[in-house]
Amino acid sequence: MEMDTIAAIATAPGMAGISIIRVSGQKAIEIVDTIFKTKDGNSILSTMKSHTIRYGYIYDKDTIIDEVLVLYMAAPHSYTKEDVVEIDCHGGTLVTRKILETVIRHGASLAQPGEFTKRAFLNGRIDLSQAEAVMDLIYAKNEAARKNSLQQLRGSLLEKVRFLREMILRDTAYIEAALDDPEHMSFEGFSDCFLQHVKTELSQINELISTADDGRKIKEGLRTVILGKPNVGKSSLLNLLAGEERAIVTEIAGTTRDTIEEEIRLNGMTLLLMDTAGIRDTIDKVEQIGVERAKRAAKEADLILFMIDGSVEFDENDIQILTMLNQKEGSIPPVIILLNKTDLTQIVKEEAILGWIGMESSIPIISFSVRRQIGIKELETAIETLYLQGGVKEKEEIYLTNLRQKEAFEQARDSLYRVLKSIEIGMSEDFYSIDLMDAYEALGKITGESMDEDLINTIFREFCMGK
Amino acid sequence: MAYNYEAFDVAVVGAGHAGCEAALACARLGLKTIMFTVSMDSVALMPCNPNIGGSSKGHLVREIDALGGEMGKVIDQTYIQSKMLNRSKGPAVHSLRAQADKQEYSHRMRRIVENTDNLTLKQAEVTEILTKDLENGRKEVIGVKIFTGGIYPCKAVILCTGVYLKARCICGEVSTYTGPNGLPAANHLTECLKNLGIELFRFKTGTPARIDGRTIDFSKLQEQKGDEQVIPFSFTNTSKEIEKEQVSCWLTYTNETTHEIIRNNISRSPLFSGDIKGTGPRYCPSIEDKVMRFADKERHQVFIEPEGNYTNEMYISGMSSSLPEDVQIRMYRSVPGLEHSHIVRNAYAIEYDCINPLQLKPTLEMKHIDGMFCSGQFNGSSGYEEAAAQGIMAGINAAMKLLDKKPLILDRSQAYIGVLIDDLVTKGTTEPYRMMTSRAEYRLLLRQDNADLRLSKLGYEVGLISKERYNKVLEKQTEIEKELERLKRTVLGSTKKVQEFLTSHESSELKTGTSLAELIRRPELDYESIAPLDEERMPLDERIIEQVTINLKYEGYIERQNRQVEQFKKMEGKRIPEQIDYQEIESLRLEAKQKLTKIRPISIGQASRISGVSPADISVLLVYLEQWKRRS
């Protein structure tokens, strides 16, 4: 734990000339040495002197990822007072990430939020007076990461992981119950089922690992919410976006709430339209609108499309939402305002909107007509701009959450492979449990659930135990 | 009238399995000890099942023995049937279990405690623990008071009240305010404990009926015999020394009629009517619980176990109940073989007061009362073995405190006892806690076969294991290592003899030189079978061969656990100062602050096991501790 070698991207996310990947811990040199070669193809880091620089390439197997400089700072003369290796690579998200992942694949673990600073303090690098600040930083960073990963853990992924965990837990509980009470329970017929289960679990995890590479951005899209009062045209916008060639890709019944989500491809980007049940199902229900829904969207969405009916006066809802958008804090995701029904006589002017959200507001306002299909191009461009500028929440945090998830999936996979190995060499059932519970714990890191008394509880719930 | 009786170093309250081990430990370590019991006839009583050991409990008995306790020795003398469970599984889950002659067990333990120097027994109900106030709300034990008013000044008290505190036995609509078997309950101490600011729980457990063996038709039952070669619990005994004629247990099943009788009368069960409020153990459900919760099970196993050599009473394992007597009679008689059975003692449930163990330090001392140690069912556990294990630890730690020596805290990588106590004092429990092998994350290392190698050193250092006995363990250790070394060093070439031997054992031929150790690792071979290839082999004790074999066969797994233990030890080694004020650490989440304040873990490792304390909280705590260290 403490002595693990950790790695992370040390430079700020986004486009820049160079980026730095920092590796800290006993194995820093050893790990980087396995993926770094000089121009002549030699591994040379094991003999590298402290506080020197080497020029060469980072390899992923036989392919060069990037041309880099490697800096080495031997313990204790480094930020963490551990052996630190920094890899200076060409800026650009993709290359940087690829290098980080390669480092991790070779034995480093992804640094926990605030971990470099924590180590620096624990190892005496940071002054005592900074202790409070260090603790605050650890707290804040972890809270942010936790929230972020919870937010991302929605729908199908959460369901899949929970299903896998449940399956693993049940089998482990069976094994443990039978071991605990051998006179009441036998393993007869268990092993065939069990082997099948482990294989299923493995294939599902492998699939999750391969899709994790795509990142949520591609897999799930930007979580988008359409806000606006009844009859403003949300439903028509949804149909417009979802219809024609931009076909609905999937229709998923949400699991966390009773919602419908629709996935839409828009000019190469994927939008995941959230909470569309409230929009579609407007006939005999009072539609969910207003601030409450907006607030929830602000918490969960990557992007808000706020529709205003240009042909009627603002109502209370419009005003409340506009007021909320006026907040300067960063708690609200990017918003695009669609001033709809421009084909009718306009009562609401752009200036009126600016009056509410503030004259200097950078929120794009697009004149729109769902009926005439005016403004779609502009909407696409606006989303694209936000996306590329990094205004959309995606990016680093989501990427890191993905990476953490992948790390956890890989741990679970390795544990399950060990179970297969144990079966293969004829070990008895009690040997499986250790690795099964490791896999269970690893998957729990993804859902944020710990083990606690899960196993014992399942044993007693599922099996009739005892004297 | 209150009057001062003689002063003692330690007063042990209760003479059950916890009390006996606690009192013996203290007395043997030279402390003047008195043990109170509500009845001299209930010393080391086995009021429920007639066996010692079983899955993970057998481990506890072995560990108690390795530390210098008595339980293993007594059961070795008084068993009437013995079995090693899970023999076909890995060595970590082999579990020794013996049927005891209950009377004999109790008598033998009583003879031992009665004849131990420094140990006095007294039949009396302790009604009060006397304390004096220290600064900042803390207290210190100064004596105990008994029902007659007698005061026994003492420096430490060990509470082992079992199921006797405000005990109530329930059988259908009838209940009596007694302990098990009609023994007197202890009705006064609870009030005193409450006044001392101790948080109490009310737990429940139960026991099945005892049936007259003469009225059972054994021809309808399946016989269950003991092992042919008996393995002793105590490391001081050999199989030969304890061999004897064994008795059989018997197996039968409940059926649809049984279940129907139960279902039809379920409203009369105090468990379902709400009369019983205490929390029962999930692992030991009553038959009515099993029938209602697992409705699709057509039958449940029932083991009929003799209670001893000189009684006809048979224990009906699997059918504990609190149904009314008339229902019990019909219910038991519906089981094949028991059609004409006569119930000697009714099944009943028992409710009792116990403490929330989160109030204890890992030494089993009450956090806010110096000198008050607690063990056994009083701490919310269940089972004779769990009780005895805590008893010896509470005894040792009370003694260490009075002798001004370092406490003995076993961690989760050292012993099942460590797991048991850590679970109780760190996670707490909401039902009578039972040991299980699945609770031990390092169980591959914590085997019953190596308890002596793990713990004898500690038993010796504490003073409960003699120099002579400890030296024998050291010799054993050396012989194991020498033999392992020899087997790894001795390399066989691919000679004709070797290849032929391997072929005849369906093992693949050698391609290069291979050590004997490598051959033993092969699933189809073992230490015994390769004897013809091992020319230098000297005869060795079976227990040494066992260790050598396990070490080789499971080397990869054992190494992996050893690495995990290394990590674990690092966290356990980071001690948290007692004075720390968690409210002061602003970056801890609220829940973590509350839990840490309540449990006051002694190490970062312990803190990380508290539910509701996240890895981020642990990081913050580490930084805070570092700050603390640098400041002072």
Side-chain angles (χ1 to χ4, degrees):
Chain A
M1 294 161 50
E2 278 258 291
M3 299 303 288
D4 274 7
T5 297
I6 51 169
I9 300 169
T11 39
M15 303 299 282
I18 59 161
S19 300
I20 299 173
I21 292 99
R22 182 186 280 155
V23 190
S24 175
Q26 269 179 344
K27 289 191 176 162
I29 276 282
E30 190 187 318
I31 290 168
V32 180
D33 195 32
T34 55
I35 57 170
F36 173 86
K37 286 195 176 75
T38 60
K39 217 167 77 183
D40 309 324
N42 298 321
S43 299
I44 49 157
L45 296 189
S46 53
T47 56
M48 189 173 178
K49 286 206 183 86
S50 183
H51 292 79
T52 59
I53 297 176
R54 289 284 179 277
Y55 164 79
Y57 300 95
I58 294 288
Y59 281 80
D60 178 13
K61 296 197 187 86
D62 299 327
T63 337
I64 292 177
I65 305 177
D66 198 16
E67 182 188 24
V68 299
L69 291 176
V70 168
L71 290 73
Y72 171 44
M73 287 144 278
H77 303 290
S78 69
Y79 178 59
T80 55
K81 286 206 158 191
E82 300 173 330
D83 279 353
V84 169
V85 175
E86 288 183 358
I87 304 168
D88 287 15
C89 65
H90 290 96
T93 322
L94 225 64
V95 170
T96 321
R97 289 176 180 181
K98 202 133 192 232
I99 294 176
L100 175 63
E101 283 165 40
T102 312
V103 170
I104 286 170
R105 214 166 35 246
H106 285 80
S109 25
L110 183 61
Q112 295 300 314
E115 202 174 355
F116 284 101
T117 312
K118 178 183 104 184
R119 289 188 180 196
F121 181 81
L122 290 180
N123 295 331
R125 176 73 170 70
I126 295 179
D127 187 55
L128 187 57
S129 64
Q130 299 294 306
E132 302 293 335
V134 173
M135 285 187 274
D136 285 350
L137 175 104
I138 292 171
Y139 174 80
K141 284 203 166 189
N142 275 286
E143 278 299 286
R146 192 181 60 84
K147 275 189 193 139
N148 196 60
S149 75
L150 280 182
Q151 259 175 38
Q152 279 186 64
L153 244 188
R154 298 159 34 83
S156 56
L157 180 63
L158 180 66
E159 205 178 349
K160 273 184 198 149
V161 177
R162 288 219 166 121
F163 176 78
L164 282 169
R165 285 189 99 214
E166 188 59 34
M167 201 164 158
I168 292 170
L169 190 63
R170 273 165 181 268
D171 280 337
T172 318
Y174 188 97
I175 292 172
E176 291 303 316
L179 291 171
D180 195 80
D181 207 353
E183 288 170 317
H184 283 85
M185 279 176 71
S186 87
F187 282 106
E188 232 179 80
F190 174 74
S191 58
D192 292 345
C193 283
F194 177 67
L195 183 63
Q196 209 43 56
H197 287 175
V198 177
K199 285 184 174 161
T200 310
E201 285 147 18
L202 267 170
S203 79
Q204 290 196 10
I205 288 177
N206 278 327
E207 201 182 303
L208 287 167
I209 291 172
S210 68
T211 51
D213 280 336
D214 305 342
R216 191 189 63 85
K217 172 182 67 187
I218 299 157
K219 204 171 106 253
E220 287 188 12
L222 288 173
R223 286 172 310 225
T224 308
V225 166
I226 307 174
L227 291 179
K229 63 191 163 199
N231 295 323
V232 68
K234 298 190 294 296
S235 197
S236 316
L237 175 66
L238 188 63
N239 287 333
L240 176 65
L241 291 174
E244 296 169 4
E245 276 88 45
R246 304 181 185 95
I248 297 172
V249 180
T250 47
E251 192 160 319
I252 324 151
T255 49
T256 45
R257 275 175 287 112
D258 195 18
T259 62
I260 305 283
E261 293 171 352
E262 290 176 42
E263 204 173 297
I264 287 158
R265 290 260 151 83
L266 192 68
N267 209 15
M269 294 168 296
T270 308
L271 301 191
L272 187 71
L273 288 168
M274 294 167 49
D275 201 11
T276 53
I279 299 172
R280 290 240 190 251
D281 192 14
T282 54
I283 298 157
D284 46 27
K285 245 191 276 175
V286 177
E287 194 185 347
Q288 271 190 42
I289 46 155
V291 178
E292 200 189 311
R293 187 155 172 261
K295 274 185 185 155
R296 206 173 62 216
K299 244 192 279 167
E300 296 180 356
D302 302 324
L303 175 66
I304 293 175
L305 300 180
F306 177 38
M307 284 192 106
I308 296 173
D309 188 342
S311 65
V312 295
E313 291 286 353
F314 287 147
D315 71 2
E316 190 59 26
N317 264 304
D318 290 326
I319 291 169
Q320 279 185 8
I321 293 174
L322 284 168
T323 316
M324 188 182 102
L325 298 183
N326 192 15
Q327 289 169 4
K328 296 284 181 286
E329 305 132 44
S331 59
I332 292 174
V335 180
I336 296 172
I337 294 175
L338 300 176
L339 189 51
N340 196 23
K341 306 196 186 177
T342 45
D343 48 321
L344 303 176
T345 318
Q346 291 297 289
I347 293 176
V348 176
K349 298 264 181 323
E350 240 187 77
E351 292 76 45
I353 299 174
L354 285 173
W356 283 105
I357 61 173
M359 286 299 171
E360 312 84 51
S361 174
S362 57
I363 295 176
I365 302 168
I366 297 169
S367 295
F368 209 84
S369 165
V370 180
R371 196 189 300 167
R372 297 267 159 84
Q373 304 199 3
I374 297 168
I376 296 189
K377 266 254 94 46
E378 288 80 357
L379 175 61
E380 282 175 2
T381 316
I383 296 174
E384 205 168 43
T385 312
L386 277 172
Y387 204 98
L388 291 178
Q389 283 173 350
V392 184
K393 253 204 293 187
E394 201 275 324
K395 304 267 171 203
E396 210 59 18
E397 283 173 13
I398 286 172
Y399 165 71
L400 283 178
T401 307
N402 259 315
L403 195 54
R404 261 181 237 296
Q405 284 177 1
K406 200 177 148 200
E407 212 181 10
F409 278 132
E410 282 169 351
Q411 282 169 8
R413 177 196 60 193
D414 294 347
S415 295
L416 290 174
Y417 275 130
R418 278 196 287 272
V419 176
L420 280 190
K421 182 81 195 159
S422 295
I423 297 175
E424 198 183 296
I425 60 174
M427 286 295 166
S428 62
E429 290 83 355
D430 54 305
F431 285 91
Y432 311 162
S433 308
I434 306 167
D435 290 314
L436 285 173
M437 286 319 279
D438 282 351
Y440 182 76
E441 194 179 4
L443 293 176
K445 287 185 201 159
I446 297 170
T447 56
E449 290 158 321
S450 60
M451 312 211 303
D452 284 336
E453 297 288 286
D454 291 359
L455 178 58
I456 305 282
N457 290 338
T458 309
I459 291 174
F460 290 131
R461 193 181 63 234
E462 300 286 324
F463 306 104
C464 183
M465 303 277 297
K467 47 184 200 204
Chain B
M1 215 197 84
Y3 66 98
N4 257 6
Y5 198 79
E6 204 181 330
F8 286 84
D9 290 322
V10 182
V12 177
V13 182
H17 304 283
C20 286
E21 295 290 355
L24 284 171
C26 289
R28 285 168 175 169
L29 292 173
L31 297 170
K32 195 177 163 194
T33 307
I34 183 164
M35 176 159 65
F36 295 95
T37 170
V38 288
S39 164
M40 278 304 288
D41 300 323
S42 70
V43 174
L45 186 75
M46 300 172 77
C48 192
N49 56 319
N51 28 55
I52 299 280
S55 179
S56 78
K57 290 161 167 271
H59 292 63
L60 288 173
V61 180
R62 280 270 166 102
E63 290 177 354
I64 294 166
D65 184 68
L67 288 169
E70 207 57 41
M71 184 173 244
K73 289 180 184 165
V74 176
I75 184 62
D76 280 349
Q77 301 304 321
T78 59
Y79 80 97
I80 52 179
Q81 188 202 78
S82 174
K83 245 183 180 175
M84 183 66 87
L85 303 175
N86 282 330
R87 220 187 255 275
S88 64
K89 306 297 170 206
V93 293
H94 291 188
S95 291
L96 193 53
R97 190 198 56 201
Q99 301 298 131
D101 182 315
K102 284 181 159 186
Q103 286 277 349
E104 266 297 299
Y105 185 95
S106 177
H107 284 162
R108 190 166 180 90
M109 185 64 94
R110 178 169 164 183
R111 267 204 303 284
I112 289 163
V113 291
E114 279 180 345
N115 291 298
T116 297
D117 291 344
N118 301 324
L119 181 54
T120 305
L121 274 91
K122 170 80 183 171
Q123 176 169 305
E125 183 187 342
V126 170
T127 53
E128 245 180 273
I129 310 299
L130 307 173
T131 59
K132 78 170 185 217
D133 288 338
L134 304 176
E135 73 269 30
N136 52 35
R138 304 180 52 79
K139 294 175 193 301
E140 185 183 63
V141 168
I142 53 166
V144 300
K145 188 173 175 185
I146 61 173
F147 189 63
T148 53
I151 287 172
Y152 293 73
C154 63
K155 296 171 195 147
V157 61
I158 305 177
L159 295 172
C160 320
T161 57
V163 296
Y164 287 79
L165 275 193
K166 286 235 161 124
R168 179 170 79 112
C169 290
I170 308 113
C171 177
E173 296 94 351
V174 185
S175 67
T176 54
Y177 288 83
T178 62
N181 281 343
L183 287 158
N187 286 319
H188 300 86
L189 194 57
T190 293
E191 207 49 39
C192 161
L193 296 175
K194 279 186 191 157
N195 292 336
L196 288 171
I198 294 168
E199 185 191 350
L200 294 171
F201 286 156
R202 193 139 176 93
F203 277 0
K204 168 254 157 185
T205 187
T207 197
R210 310 302 193 274
I211 283 177
D212 184 344
R214 291 175 307 172
T215 63
I216 295 174
D217 180 357
F218 289 98
S219 68
K220 292 188 177 163
L221 312 180
Q222 294 167 34
E223 188 170 6
Q224 310 273 306
K225 292 187 170 218
D227 285 347
E228 273 179 30
Q229 205 208 344
V230 170
I231 295 168
F233 275 99
S234 174
F235 290 100
T236 59
N237 291 326
T238 63
S239 301
K240 234 176 164 67
E241 282 166 355
I242 66 158
E243 258 173 13
K244 66 167 72 147
E245 189 80 21
Q246 297 182 55
V247 302
S248 292
C249 295
W250 306 85
L251 172 62
T252 181
Y253 296 90
T254 61
N255 50 42
E256 196 35 55
T257 316
T258 323
H259 301 178
E260 206 183 312
I261 294 168
I262 292 169
R263 278 195 299 268
N264 290 343
N265 290 282
I266 200 68
S267 59
R268 294 178 62 199
S269 159
L271 271 181
F272 289 81
S273 70
D275 182 33
I276 292 182
K277 304 247 163 26
T279 319
R282 284 176 297 179
Y283 67 87
C284 179
S286 60
I287 186 68
E288 48 267 35
D289 224 5
K290 292 190 204 176
V291 169
M292 299 310 282
R293 283 188 49 221
F294 297 92
D296 51 341
K297 273 199 98 164
E298 287 162 17
R299 60 179 200 175
H300 293 273
Q301 279 173 322
V302 179
F303 287 95
I304 315 253
E305 306 173 4
E307 293 240 311
N309 276 330
Y310 303 102
T311 172
N312 288 328
E313 280 188 84
M314 303 291 277
Y315 177 89
I316 314 299
S317 176
M319 288 186 78
S320 101
S321 177
S322 55
L323 285 162
E325 190 175 34
D326 59 302
V327 183
Q328 284 192 23
I329 294 170
R330 276 183 287 146
M331 173 180 91
Y332 287 114
R333 286 189 175 166
S334 71
V335 175
L338 304 183
E339 292 89 348
H340 306 289
S341 63
H342 167 69
I343 295 179
V344 183
R345 304 184 205 212
N346 286 333
Y348 62 88
I350 182 167
E351 275 190 325
Y352 55 96
D353 289 344
C354 58
I355 59 164
N356 179 353
L358 289 179
Q359 300 165 100
L360 299 173
K361 297 179 189 173
T363 55
L364 297 179
E365 187 176 12
M366 187 66 71
K367 278 171 196 153
H368 72 285
I369 305 176
D370 278 11
M372 179 185 281
F373 290 82
C374 307
S375 72
Q377 273 173 295
F378 180 64
N379 289 350
S381 69
S382 111
Y384 312 140
E385 304 81 357
E386 287 86 344
Q390 293 168 69
I392 189 170
M393 294 311 291
I396 289 172
N397 281 317
M400 292 300 105
K401 185 178 176 110
L402 299 193
L403 298 169
D404 213 13
K405 288 190 187 168
K406 239 179 72 199
L408 178 64
I409 296 170
L410 299 174
D411 70 40
R412 302 180 73 89
S413 71
Q414 286 176 300
Y416 271 79
I417 299 179
V419 175
L420 164 70
I421 294 177
D422 183 64
D423 276 351
L424 285 173
V425 307
T426 308
K427 298 176 185 161
T429 186
T430 51
E431 66 177 329
Y433 175 100
R434 178 187 168 240
M435 198 67 244
M436 299 174 88
T437 63
S438 52
R439 297 191 195 266
E441 47 280 75
Y442 310 118
R443 73 174 172 202
L444 217 44
L445 306 177
L446 307 186
R447 304 184 309 271
Q448 51 94 32
D449 60 73
N450 67 0
D452 56 338
L453 300 171
R454 288 186 276 125
L455 301 172
S456 295
K457 182 165 186 275
L458 298 170
Y460 170 67
E461 283 167 358
V462 159
L464 289 176
I465 293 277
S466 69
K467 176 96 188 154
E468 190 197 353
R469 182 171 167 190
Y470 178 47
N471 278 343
K472 276 193 191 152
V473 176
L474 288 179
E475 273 165 37
K476 179 177 170 186
Q477 181 78 57
T478 313
E479 285 201 62
I480 295 165
E481 276 156 21
K482 260 169 53 193
E483 182 65 356
L484 279 170
E485 181 56 37
R486 188 185 71 82
L487 293 168
K488 285 178 182 168
R489 220 186 38 225
T490 312
V491 174
L492 299 182
S494 49
T495 61
K496 193 168 167 237
K497 181 190 168 192
V498 172
Q499 306 293 44
E500 275 174 7
F501 171 88
L502 291 173
T503 313
S504 71
H505 282 77
E506 291 180 359
S507 193
S508 55
E509 295 189 353
L510 299 188
K511 293 195 183 74
T512 58
T514 302
S515 69
L516 290 173
E518 284 299 326
L519 289 183
I520 292 173
R521 280 195 196 105
R522 294 186 175 186
E524 64 278 7
L525 300 176
D526 59 31
Y527 188 87
E528 300 299 341
S529 71
I530 65 155
L533 300 179
D534 189 358
E535 283 156 14
E536 291 163 32
R537 179 178 294 184
M538 306 284 272
L540 281 174
D541 187 90
E542 258 176 57
R543 294 182 187 184
I544 289 165
I545 297 172
E546 183 185 25
Q547 290 307 309
V548 167
T549 304
I550 292 170
N551 269 296
L552 290 176
K553 286 252 180 220
Y554 309 108
E555 197 172 35
Y557 293 90
I558 291 174
E559 266 174 19
R560 197 143 63 85
Q561 288 231 305
N562 274 326
R563 281 198 298 275
Q564 290 171 344
V565 167
E566 253 173 62
Q567 285 299 332
F568 162 83
K569 290 268 191 195
K570 269 181 206 148
M571 289 298 154
E572 297 301 296
K574 290 189 202 304
R575 296 280 148 164
I576 302 176
E578 244 179 87
Q579 323 81 294
I580 201 166
D581 178 9
Y582 293 101
Q583 301 304 325
E584 204 186 75
I585 313 173
E586 295 200 352
S587 305
L588 281 179
R589 289 169 318 110
L590 188 64
E591 187 188 4
K593 270 188 209 175
Q594 287 168 348
K595 292 275 176 66
L596 289 164
T597 304
K598 175 154 192 190
I599 292 165
R600 308 204 65 79
I602 57 167
S603 67
I604 288 289
Q606 194 192 352
S608 69
R609 288 189 294 275
I610 298 171
S611 75
V613 175
S614 72
D617 294 320
I618 293 297
S619 289
V620 168
L621 200 52
L622 279 168
V623 171
Y624 183 80
L625 287 183
E626 179 64 22
Q627 182 190 22
W628 175 289
K629 210 169 79 193
R630 281 194 229 168
R631 266 200 204 132
S632 50

